[in-house]
Amino acid sequence: MAMVELSRFSLLASAFIVVGTTQAVQGATLMVPFELARHVAKNNGKTTCTVSLPLPVISLSLTSIYEDEDESHSTIDPQHKQRYDKAIAQTRQFAAFVTKYASNYTETDGNRLDAASCALKALDSWARADALSDLTTRQSYLSTTRILAGAALAYVQVRPAAALLKFDTGAIEKWLGDLAERTIPVYTESGDRNSNKQNHRYWGGFAVSAVGVAIGRKDFLDFGFESYKLGVCQVTADGALPLELMRKKKARDYHLHAAGPLVMMASLLEANGYDALSQCDNSLERLAHFALDSINDPSKMEMLAGEPQVKLPRDKNGLIRPDRIAWLDAYLHYYPEDRKAYGKLFEGALFSSNLGGRVSVLYNVSQRD
């Protein structure tokens, strides 16, 4: 696939887009590893968003959902979970909104200009309100990395529409950059703790990397690469992540959860010249196989974790709930030979607001209208 350099408001017609920068690293040109809307000029002509936007959330004070005395963080406290879900609900609604409308724009290859307008206006509304600027607990920072990652990739998807809409994206880019800047020291300046080395760090690295690609900050990708290597170089010969095995009965859940940001980070990094996939003897591939194989046969996971695994949420068709493996189509983009084995784990387009929306639509254009 050819890579085409585009200016700030250029239209997109290639398999990759280069995002010009207006901040920090002068002259940085960073690549998006998937095909964005291919026919932005052939849109529906609707420039107005007619739906209500999610109201900005400025402050969050989140705490763990697990029982206080549970060192493995595998037993949920119902009251803690209820309090957490209530506190983060509005923020999740924002992530779902911007990734849904960004995906609608991408899935129609640029026809749904009104969908892009909705995503841009929601992002701009939260940016101008300086949303998520008052995070009062470490858990708040750890939880909002997924919101930041999804928002950044939603922005990447609708950015080509900004020129058609004459939309000033300056506030959005500044806000995303500020959130990424605040995320890095959460991990680098808090000592030697497990959450700086396990899935929380990978989600932080992915979020910062996604912002880096969105606004042209290569230094953010450098942080992502270090986060990525920290994760994949822990993968054992079996394909396991030792710190996720410590989650005991939820080890399978957390291996699937940890694989998502690592796969997406690898994609962003590979597109920008980093040697990610081959790191530590192709350990990402081993991790993906181990995690995916455990969905229908958790015996090896149970042996290594030392406990039977909790049941995974499944749809009526018996397949695992799609958001748990939304990263799979991105993985299969790089390992197409695995589609025969793992393509049967899902039907239709995979979606996760944490990963930017309909991942299948990004990496598999056959899923587009």
Side-chain angles (χ1 to χ4, degrees), residues 302-318:
E302 291 177 340
M303 180 186 70
L304 294 174
E307 289 190 17
Q309 297 299 289
V310 298
K311 291 183 178 180
L312 294 170
R314 294 183 181 267
D315 281 348
K316 292 180 180 179
N317 59 11

PDB file of all heavy atoms in Angstrom, residues 302-318:
ATOM      1  N   GLU A 302      -6.093 -22.231  33.270  1.00  0.00           N
ATOM      2  CA  GLU A 302      -6.426 -22.640  34.637  1.00  0.00           C
ATOM      3  C   GLU A 302      -5.243 -23.310  35.321  1.00  0.00           C
ATOM      4  O   GLU A 302      -5.004 -23.098  36.514  1.00  0.00           O
ATOM      5  CB  GLU A 302      -7.641 -23.571  34.603  1.00  0.00           C
ATOM      6  CG  GLU A 302      -8.908 -22.843  34.198  1.00  0.00           C
ATOM      7  CD  GLU A 302     -10.112 -23.750  34.074  1.00  0.00           C
ATOM      8  OE1 GLU A 302      -9.943 -24.969  33.932  1.00  0.00           O
ATOM      9  OE2 GLU A 302     -11.246 -23.212  34.116  1.00  0.00           O
ATOM     10  N   MET A 303      -4.480 -24.088  34.564  1.00  0.00           N
ATOM     11  CA  MET A 303      -3.304 -24.728  35.135  1.00  0.00           C
ATOM     12  C   MET A 303      -2.270 -23.689  35.579  1.00  0.00           C
ATOM     13  O   MET A 303      -1.723 -23.756  36.682  1.00  0.00           O
ATOM     14  CB  MET A 303      -2.674 -25.667  34.112  1.00  0.00           C
ATOM     15  CG  MET A 303      -1.429 -26.382  34.619  1.00  0.00           C
ATOM     16  SD  MET A 303      -0.619 -27.353  33.318  1.00  0.00           S
ATOM     17  CE  MET A 303       0.030 -26.034  32.258  1.00  0.00           C
ATOM     18  N   LEU A 304      -2.039 -22.698  34.731  1.00  0.00           N
ATOM     19  CA  LEU A 304      -1.030 -21.687  35.033  1.00  0.00           C
ATOM     20  C   LEU A 304      -1.502 -20.695  36.096  1.00  0.00           C
ATOM     21  O   LEU A 304      -0.705 -20.225  36.913  1.00  0.00           O
ATOM     22  CB  LEU A 304      -0.645 -20.940  33.756  1.00  0.00           C
ATOM     23  CG  LEU A 304       0.074 -21.773  32.693  1.00  0.00           C
ATOM     24  CD1 LEU A 304       0.270 -20.969  31.414  1.00  0.00           C
ATOM     25  CD2 LEU A 304       1.422 -22.261  33.210  1.00  0.00           C
ATOM     26  N   ALA A 305      -2.807 -20.368  36.087  1.00  0.00           N
ATOM     27  CA  ALA A 305      -3.343 -19.416  37.068  1.00  0.00           C
ATOM     28  C   ALA A 305      -3.675 -20.090  38.392  1.00  0.00           C
ATOM     29  O   ALA A 305      -3.806 -19.413  39.417  1.00  0.00           O
ATOM     30  CB  ALA A 305      -4.580 -18.730  36.504  1.00  0.00           C
ATOM     31  N   GLY A 306      -3.850 -21.400  38.361  1.00  0.00           N
ATOM     32  CA  GLY A 306      -4.111 -22.139  39.589  1.00  0.00           C
ATOM     33  C   GLY A 306      -5.546 -22.139  40.050  1.00  0.00           C
ATOM     34  O   GLY A 306      -5.839 -22.575  41.164  1.00  0.00           O
ATOM     35  N   GLU A 307      -6.454 -21.657  39.200  1.00  0.00           N
ATOM     36  CA  GLU A 307      -7.872 -21.620  39.571  1.00  0.00           C
ATOM     37  C   GLU A 307      -8.744 -21.780  38.334  1.00  0.00           C
ATOM     38  O   GLU A 307      -8.344 -21.372  37.234  1.00  0.00           O
ATOM     39  CB  GLU A 307      -8.249 -20.300  40.260  1.00  0.00           C
ATOM     40  CG  GLU A 307      -7.698 -20.135  41.657  1.00  0.00           C
ATOM     41  CD  GLU A 307      -8.300 -18.922  42.363  1.00  0.00           C
ATOM     42  OE1 GLU A 307      -9.352 -18.429  41.902  1.00  0.00           O
ATOM     43  OE2 GLU A 307      -7.715 -18.473  43.366  1.00  0.00           O
ATOM     44  N   PRO A 308      -9.957 -22.357  38.503  1.00  0.00           N
ATOM     45  CA  PRO A 308     -10.929 -22.360  37.408  1.00  0.00           C
ATOM     46  C   PRO A 308     -11.256 -20.924  37.011  1.00  0.00           C
ATOM     47  O   PRO A 308     -11.289 -20.028  37.860  1.00  0.00           O
ATOM     48  CB  PRO A 308     -12.145 -23.074  37.999  1.00  0.00           C
ATOM     49  CG  PRO A 308     -11.610 -23.846  39.159  1.00  0.00           C
ATOM     50  CD  PRO A 308     -10.467 -23.051  39.701  1.00  0.00           C
ATOM     51  N   GLN A 309     -11.514 -20.710  35.721  1.00  0.00           N
ATOM     52  CA  GLN A 309     -11.769 -19.358  35.228  1.00  0.00           C
ATOM     53  C   GLN A 309     -13.254 -19.023  35.255  1.00  0.00           C
ATOM     54  O   GLN A 309     -14.105 -19.886  35.023  1.00  0.00           O
ATOM     55  CB  GLN A 309     -11.225 -19.208  33.810  1.00  0.00           C
ATOM     56  CG  GLN A 309      -9.718 -19.375  33.723  1.00  0.00           C
ATOM     57  CD  GLN A 309      -8.975 -18.336  34.547  1.00  0.00           C
ATOM     58  OE1 GLN A 309      -8.950 -17.154  34.200  1.00  0.00           O
ATOM     59  NE2 GLN A 309      -8.375 -18.756  35.649  1.00  0.00           N
ATOM     60  N   VAL A 310     -13.552 -17.755  35.553  1.00  0.00           N
ATOM     61  CA  VAL A 310     -14.941 -17.308  35.523  1.00  0.00           C
ATOM     62  C   VAL A 310     -15.441 -17.388  34.089  1.00  0.00           C
ATOM     63  O   VAL A 310     -14.664 -17.295  33.125  1.00  0.00           O
ATOM     64  CB  VAL A 310     -15.086 -15.867  36.055  1.00  0.00           C
ATOM     65  CG1 VAL A 310     -14.645 -15.777  37.504  1.00  0.00           C
ATOM     66  CG2 VAL A 310     -14.292 -14.882  35.204  1.00  0.00           C
ATOM     67  N   LYS A 311     -16.741 -17.554  33.933  1.00  0.00           N
ATOM     68  CA  LYS A 311     -17.320 -17.639  32.600  1.00  0.00           C
ATOM     69  C   LYS A 311     -17.195 -16.303  31.875  1.00  0.00           C
ATOM     70  O   LYS A 311     -17.318 -15.236  32.486  1.00  0.00           O
ATOM     71  CB  LYS A 311     -18.789 -18.050  32.687  1.00  0.00           C
ATOM     72  CG  LYS A 311     -19.001 -19.485  33.142  1.00  0.00           C
ATOM     73  CD  LYS A 311     -20.490 -19.843  33.132  1.00  0.00           C
ATOM     74  CE  LYS A 311     -20.696 -21.293  33.541  1.00  0.00           C
ATOM     75  NZ  LYS A 311     -22.149 -21.672  33.532  1.00  0.00           N
ATOM     76  N   LEU A 312     -16.969 -16.380  30.588  1.00  0.00           N
ATOM     77  CA  LEU A 312     -16.920 -15.180  29.764  1.00  0.00           C
ATOM     78  C   LEU A 312     -18.330 -14.810  29.316  1.00  0.00           C
ATOM     79  O   LEU A 312     -19.156 -15.690  29.075  1.00  0.00           O
ATOM     80  CB  LEU A 312     -16.048 -15.418  28.534  1.00  0.00           C
ATOM     81  CG  LEU A 312     -14.558 -15.651  28.792  1.00  0.00           C
ATOM     82  CD1 LEU A 312     -13.880 -16.108  27.503  1.00  0.00           C
ATOM     83  CD2 LEU A 312     -13.891 -14.396  29.320  1.00  0.00           C
ATOM     84  N   PRO A 313     -18.617 -13.517  29.188  1.00  0.00           N
ATOM     85  CA  PRO A 313     -19.934 -13.118  28.673  1.00  0.00           C
ATOM     86  C   PRO A 313     -20.085 -13.537  27.213  1.00  0.00           C
ATOM     87  O   PRO A 313     -19.161 -13.356  26.414  1.00  0.00           O
ATOM     88  CB  PRO A 313     -19.915 -11.595  28.822  1.00  0.00           C
ATOM     89  CG  PRO A 313     -18.473 -11.223  28.801  1.00  0.00           C
ATOM     90  CD  PRO A 313     -17.749 -12.358  29.463  1.00  0.00           C
ATOM     91  N   ARG A 314     -21.228 -14.110  26.884  1.00  0.00           N
ATOM     92  CA  ARG A 314     -21.443 -14.604  25.528  1.00  0.00           C
ATOM     93  C   ARG A 314     -22.771 -14.095  24.985  1.00  0.00           C
ATOM     94  O   ARG A 314     -23.704 -13.842  25.736  1.00  0.00           O
ATOM     95  CB  ARG A 314     -21.396 -16.135  25.496  1.00  0.00           C
ATOM     96  CG  ARG A 314     -20.007 -16.691  25.831  1.00  0.00           C
ATOM     97  CD  ARG A 314     -19.947 -18.198  25.731  1.00  0.00           C
ATOM     98  NE  ARG A 314     -18.623 -18.706  26.087  1.00  0.00           N
ATOM     99  CZ  ARG A 314     -17.637 -18.941  25.223  1.00  0.00           C
ATOM    100  NH1 ARG A 314     -17.837 -18.725  23.922  1.00  0.00           N
ATOM    101  NH2 ARG A 314     -16.470 -19.397  25.626  1.00  0.00           N
ATOM    102  N   ASP A 315     -22.830 -13.958  23.658  1.00  0.00           N
ATOM    103  CA  ASP A 315     -24.064 -13.566  22.991  1.00  0.00           C
ATOM    104  C   ASP A 315     -24.994 -14.766  22.850  1.00  0.00           C
ATOM    105  O   ASP A 315     -24.620 -15.908  23.148  1.00  0.00           O
ATOM    106  CB  ASP A 315     -23.759 -12.979  21.614  1.00  0.00           C
ATOM    107  CG  ASP A 315     -23.270 -11.539  21.686  1.00  0.00           C
ATOM    108  OD1 ASP A 315     -23.392 -10.929  22.764  1.00  0.00           O
ATOM    109  OD2 ASP A 315     -22.778 -11.034  20.658  1.00  0.00           O
ATOM    110  N   LYS A 316     -26.186 -14.522  22.346  1.00  0.00           N
ATOM    111  CA  LYS A 316     -27.168 -15.591  22.175  1.00  0.00           C
ATOM    112  C   LYS A 316     -26.687 -16.673  21.211  1.00  0.00           C
ATOM    113  O   LYS A 316     -27.109 -17.815  21.289  1.00  0.00           O
ATOM    114  CB  LYS A 316     -28.493 -15.012  21.688  1.00  0.00           C
ATOM    115  CG  LYS A 316     -29.209 -14.147  22.723  1.00  0.00           C
ATOM    116  CD  LYS A 316     -30.521 -13.592  22.181  1.00  0.00           C
ATOM    117  CE  LYS A 316     -31.228 -12.739  23.222  1.00  0.00           C
ATOM    118  NZ  LYS A 316     -32.506 -12.170  22.700  1.00  0.00           N
ATOM    119  N   ASN A 317     -25.784 -16.300  20.300  1.00  0.00           N
ATOM    120  CA  ASN A 317     -25.261 -17.280  19.351  1.00  0.00           C
ATOM    121  C   ASN A 317     -24.171 -18.155  19.965  1.00  0.00           C
ATOM    122  O   ASN A 317     -23.603 -19.027  19.288  1.00  0.00           O
ATOM    123  CB  ASN A 317     -24.732 -16.586  18.090  1.00  0.00           C
ATOM    124  CG  ASN A 317     -23.623 -15.584  18.393  1.00  0.00           C
ATOM    125  OD1 ASN A 317     -23.094 -15.520  19.503  1.00  0.00           O
ATOM    126  ND2 ASN A 317     -23.275 -14.791  17.392  1.00  0.00           N
ATOM    127  N   GLY A 318     -23.861 -17.907  21.241  1.00  0.00           N
ATOM    128  CA  GLY A 318     -22.865 -18.706  21.937  1.00  0.00           C
ATOM    129  C   GLY A 318     -21.451 -18.189  21.821  1.00  0.00           C
ATOM    130  O   GLY A 318     -20.542 -18.666  22.518  1.00  0.00           O
TER     131      GLY A 318
END
